[in-house]
Amino acid sequence: MTASNPPRDESPTAHLDSTAHIMNRISSQLASQLSLVSLDGRRRPEPPALVVVAHGSRDPRALSTVRALLDKVRDLRPGLPVHLGHIELNEPLLPDTLAALGGREAVLVPLLLSRGYHIKRDIPEMAAESEVHARVAGALGPHPLLVEALYARLVEAGWRTRMDDPTRRRSAVVLAAAGSRDPESKVDTSRTAQLLADRLGVPVVPAYATTAAPTVPDALRALAARGRTRVAVASYFTAPGRFATECAQAAPWIASAPLGTHPAMAKLLLHRYDQMLSTPNTVTEPVLASA
């Protein structure tokens, strides 16, 4: 088995080694402040905050990856207040992030790839229990920008963009996702797999690290039985972690890195934010806790 090259450390600490990055961050922060002042010197109202809601992970690489991704979002949209909140395991937890925002307006964009319990219940309930006037976006996927990121990660891992017909007939991809008991989650992942198959021109089979079926090893065996022996595992995870590592280790050929800080991910977060601002009647009124 050949695995993909480990991703470069894109944490904020690593970026501090780059003078160019430091200057870019200073310029972005200055532009952010200037964007709040109109030509007549009066302060413009701030746009609704973007709160990116990550799941949380015990793997420290996940937190550094998410923070670096949020830096890319800030670079793309100077002047937009961007915050991070976690559902569990990492700080800041989402309720703490929302409490710090007070009664402001915010758009919560889950850093989650498909529908499931967290999007349908956990995040809306946390938003409703805060004082924030919140709009809660749906899952990131399915979306062509996710396919762009998946394709790029596969190419980085060694997927050939051109292949002859015999090679193509032996090739396939397993789209390795986390898994959920929610049937709509499988619908979303299957749709992403189809979009990726259309892009690659080979079969793409969705498989799961936990909870749902088929598992990644089962999907690989099924493909081998069909003569698909040149199979890549596409990591359908937002950041490194246990599930992503286990799925990559099962790959018989190559395994791509998680989506991480690919530019398409930052663009998609902003796209979901903009979608919510253009959608009427999506504000969740706060439920104030009793004194």
Side-chain angles (χ1 to χ4, degrees):
M1 178 193 76
T2 4
S4 59
N5 293 329
R8 293 176 299 170
D9 183 0
E10 295 184 298
S11 67
T13 303
H15 282 319
L16 290 176
D17 295 331
S18 167
T19 303
H21 179 78
I22 294 172
M23 296 306 297
N24 286 338
R25 295 296 300 133
I26 292 173
S27 298
S28 295
Q29 291 169 4
L30 179 59
S32 172
Q33 295 300 315
L34 291 175
S35 68
L36 299 178
V37 181
S38 61
L39 292 177
D40 60 6
R42 288 184 296 182
R43 187 175 180 84
R44 293 173 178 154
E46 279 193 318
L50 165 58
V51 179
V52 176
V53 185
H55 182 277
S57 171
R58 292 183 176 87
D59 190 318
R61 296 174 298 168
L63 181 56
S64 64
T65 298
V66 173
R67 285 176 171 165
L69 176 59
L70 264 62
D71 278 345
K72 289 185 179 291
V73 173
R74 294 183 182 104
D75 290 341
L76 287 174
R77 190 73 60 88
L80 176 63
V82 180
H83 304 271
L84 172 63
H86 291 92
I87 297 169
E88 59 182 357
L89 298 176
N90 292 124
E91 294 182 349
L93 292 171
L94 179 58
D96 296 331
T97 298
L98 297 177
L101 290 175
R104 284 197 54 190
E105 186 178 356
V107 176
L108 279 56
V109 179
L111 189 59
L112 301 172
L113 301 174
S114 61
R115 289 170 289 180
Y117 185 84
H118 291 313
I119 286 179
K120 294 178 179 179
R121 294 287 301 276
D122 285 342
I123 297 172
E125 287 177 0
M126 291 178 191
E129 290 170 1
S130 76
E131 297 183 12
V132 172
H133 294 260
R135 309 176 191 216
V136 182
L140 293 182
H143 195 276
L145 284 169
L146 286 177
V147 176
E148 179 182 330
L150 285 164
Y151 179 82
R153 292 297 190 225
L154 281 169
V155 172
E156 291 169 0
W159 183 270
R160 281 188 282 171
T161 56
R162 295 183 180 181
M163 59 183 74
D164 56 31
D165 288 340
T167 301
R168 188 176 299 280
R169 285 193 292 270
R170 292 187 296 109
S171 300
V173 171
V174 168
L175 182 65
S180 170
R181 291 183 178 88
D182 190 320
E184 289 186 321
S185 176
K186 291 190 71 171
V187 171
D188 291 344
T189 304
S190 295
R191 177 58 181 151
T192 299
Q194 184 56 57
L195 291 172
L196 184 59
D198 293 343
R199 177 73 181 269
L200 295 173
V202 301
V204 176
V205 177
Y208 304 93
T210 182
T211 307
T215 66
V216 171
D218 286 346
L220 290 169
R221 283 191 288 270
L223 285 167
R226 292 161 48 190
R228 301 282 177 170
T229 55
R230 186 177 178 271
V231 181
V233 171
S235 183
Y236 198 41
F237 298 92
T238 57
R242 179 170 67 91
F243 288 154
T245 299
E246 290 174 355
C247 291
Q249 289 172 345
W253 176 39
I254 59 172
S256 64
L259 302 173
T261 58
H262 189 277
M265 294 295 289
K267 293 176 184 176
L268 184 52
L269 287 169
L270 287 170
H271 174 67
R272 293 296 188 222
Y273 171 87
D274 293 336
Q275 273 187 320
M276 295 309 295
L277 290 186
S278 63
T279 303
N281 302 320
T282 55
V283 176
T284 302
E285 291 296 332
V287 177
L288 301 179
S290 56

Coordinates of all heavy atoms in Angstrom, one line a residue, residues 48 103-108 124 127-128 131-137 276-287:
P48 N -23.2 40.4 9.7 CA -23.4 39.3 10.6 C -22.1 38.5 10.7 O -21.4 38.2 9.7 CB -24.5 38.5 10.0 CG -25.2 39.5 9.1 CD -24.2 40.4 8.6
G103 N -25.8 39.6 21.8 CA -27.1 39.7 21.0 C -26.8 40.0 19.6 O -27.8 40.4 18.9
R104 N -25.7 39.8 19.1 CA -25.4 40.1 17.7 C -26.0 39.1 16.7 O -26.6 38.1 17.1 CB -23.8 40.0 17.4 CG -23.1 41.2 18.0 CD -21.7 41.2 17.3 NE -21.8 41.2 15.9 CZ -20.7 41.0 15.1 NH1 -19.5 40.8 15.6 NH2 -20.9 41.0 13.8
E105 N -26.0 39.5 15.4 CA -26.5 38.6 14.4 C -25.4 37.7 13.9 O -24.2 38.3 13.7 CB -27.1 39.4 13.3 CG -27.8 38.5 12.2 CD -28.5 39.3 11.1 OE1 -28.5 40.5 11.2 OE2 -29.0 38.7 10.2
A106 N -25.6 36.5 13.6 CA -24.5 35.6 13.1 C -25.1 34.5 12.2 O -26.3 34.2 12.3 CB -23.8 34.9 14.3
V107 N -24.3 34.0 11.3 CA -24.6 32.9 10.5 C -23.7 31.7 10.9 O -22.5 31.9 10.9 CB -24.4 33.2 9.0 CG1 -24.6 32.0 8.2 CG2 -25.3 34.4 8.6
L108 N -24.3 30.6 11.3 CA -23.6 29.5 11.7 C -23.4 28.5 10.5 O -24.5 28.1 10.0 CB -24.3 28.8 12.9 CG -24.1 29.3 14.3 CD1 -24.5 30.8 14.4 CD2 -24.9 28.5 15.3
P124 N -28.8 23.8 15.9 CA -29.9 24.7 16.1 C -30.3 24.8 17.6 O -30.7 26.0 18.0 CB -31.0 24.0 15.3 CG -30.3 23.2 14.3 CD -29.1 22.7 14.9
A127 N -27.9 27.2 19.2 CA -28.2 28.6 18.7 C -29.4 29.1 19.4 O -29.4 30.3 19.8 CB -28.3 28.6 17.2
A128 N -30.4 28.3 19.6 CA -31.7 28.8 20.2 C -31.5 29.1 21.6 O -32.2 30.0 22.2 CB -32.8 27.8 20.0
E131 N -28.2 34.1 23.0 CA -28.8 35.4 22.8 C -28.6 35.8 21.3 O -29.1 36.9 20.9 CB -28.3 36.5 23.7 CG -28.6 36.2 25.2 CD -28.1 37.3 26.1 OE1 -27.7 38.4 25.5 OE2 -28.1 37.1 27.3
V132 N -27.8 35.1 20.6 CA -27.5 35.4 19.2 C -28.7 35.3 18.3 O -29.5 34.4 18.4 CB -26.3 34.6 18.7 CG1 -26.1 34.8 17.2 CG2 -25.0 34.8 19.5
H133 N -28.9 36.3 17.4 CA -29.9 36.1 16.3 C -29.2 35.3 15.2 O -28.4 35.8 14.4 CB -30.3 37.5 15.8 CG -31.0 38.3 16.9 ND1 -32.4 38.4 16.9 CD2 -30.6 39.0 17.9 CE1 -32.8 39.2 17.9 NE2 -31.7 39.5 18.6
A134 N -29.5 34.0 15.2 CA -28.7 33.1 14.4 C -29.4 32.6 13.2 O -30.6 32.3 13.3 CB -28.2 31.9 15.3
R135 N -28.7 32.5 12.1 CA -29.2 31.7 10.9 C -28.2 30.5 10.8 O -27.0 30.7 10.9 CB -29.1 32.6 9.7 CG -29.7 33.9 9.8 CD -29.5 34.7 8.5 NE -29.8 36.1 8.7 CZ -30.4 36.9 7.8 NH1 -30.6 36.4 6.6 NH2 -30.7 38.1 8.0
V136 N -28.8 29.3 10.7 CA -28.0 28.1 10.7 C -28.0 27.5 9.3 O -29.1 27.2 8.8 CB -28.5 27.1 11.7 CG1 -27.7 25.8 11.7 CG2 -28.6 27.7 13.1
A137 N -26.9 27.4 8.7 CA -26.8 26.9 7.4 C -26.8 25.3 7.4 O -26.7 24.7 8.5 CB -25.5 27.3 6.7
M276 N -27.2 32.0 3.2 CA -28.1 32.2 4.3 C -28.5 33.7 4.4 O -29.6 34.0 4.7 CB -27.4 31.8 5.6 CG -27.1 30.3 5.7 SD -28.6 29.3 5.3 CE -29.7 29.7 6.7
L277 N -27.6 34.6 4.1 CA -28.0 36.0 4.1 C -29.0 36.4 3.0 O -29.7 37.3 3.2 CB -26.7 36.9 3.9 CG -25.7 36.9 5.1 CD1 -24.6 37.9 4.8 CD2 -26.4 37.2 6.4
S278 N -29.0 35.6 1.9 CA -29.9 35.9 0.8 C -31.2 35.1 1.0 O -32.1 35.2 0.2 CB -29.3 35.5 -0.5 OG -29.0 34.2 -0.6
T279 N -31.3 34.3 2.0 CA -32.5 33.5 2.3 C -33.4 34.1 3.3 O -32.9 34.3 4.4 CB -32.2 32.1 2.7 OG1 -31.3 31.5 1.7 CG2 -33.4 31.2 2.9
P280 N -34.6 34.5 3.0 CA -35.5 35.2 4.0 C -36.0 34.2 5.1 O -36.0 33.0 4.9 CB -36.7 35.7 3.2 CG -36.7 34.8 2.0 CD -35.3 34.4 1.7
N281 N -36.4 34.7 6.2 CA -37.0 34.0 7.3 C -36.2 32.8 7.8 O -36.7 31.7 8.0 CB -38.4 33.4 6.8 CG -39.3 34.5 6.3 OD1 -39.4 35.6 6.9 ND2 -40.0 34.3 5.2
T282 N -34.9 33.1 8.0 CA -34.1 32.0 8.5 C -33.4 32.4 9.8 O -32.6 31.7 10.3 CB -32.9 31.7 7.5 OG1 -32.2 32.9 7.2 CG2 -33.4 31.1 6.2
V283 N -33.9 33.5 10.4 CA -33.3 33.9 11.7 C -33.9 33.2 12.8 O -35.1 33.1 12.9 CB -33.5 35.4 11.9 CG1 -33.0 35.9 13.3 CG2 -32.8 36.2 10.8
T284 N -33.1 32.6 13.7 CA -33.6 31.9 14.9 C -33.6 32.9 16.0 O -32.5 33.3 16.5 CB -32.7 30.7 15.2 OG1 -32.7 29.8 14.1 CG2 -33.2 30.0 16.4
E285 N -34.7 33.3 16.5 CA -34.8 34.2 17.6 C -34.2 33.6 18.9 O -34.4 32.4 19.2 CB -36.2 34.6 17.9 CG -36.8 35.5 16.8 CD -36.0 36.8 16.6 OE1 -35.5 37.3 17.6 OE2 -36.0 37.4 15.5
P286 N -33.4 34.3 19.7 CA -32.8 33.7 20.8 C -33.8 33.4 21.9 O -34.9 34.0 22.1 CB -31.9 34.8 21.3 CG -32.5 36.1 20.8 CD -33.2 35.8 19.5
V287 N -33.5 32.3 22.7 CA -34.3 32.0 23.8 C -33.5 32.4 25.0 O -32.4 31.8 25.3 CB -34.6 30.5 23.9 CG1 -35.4 30.1 25.1 CG2 -35.4 30.1 22.6

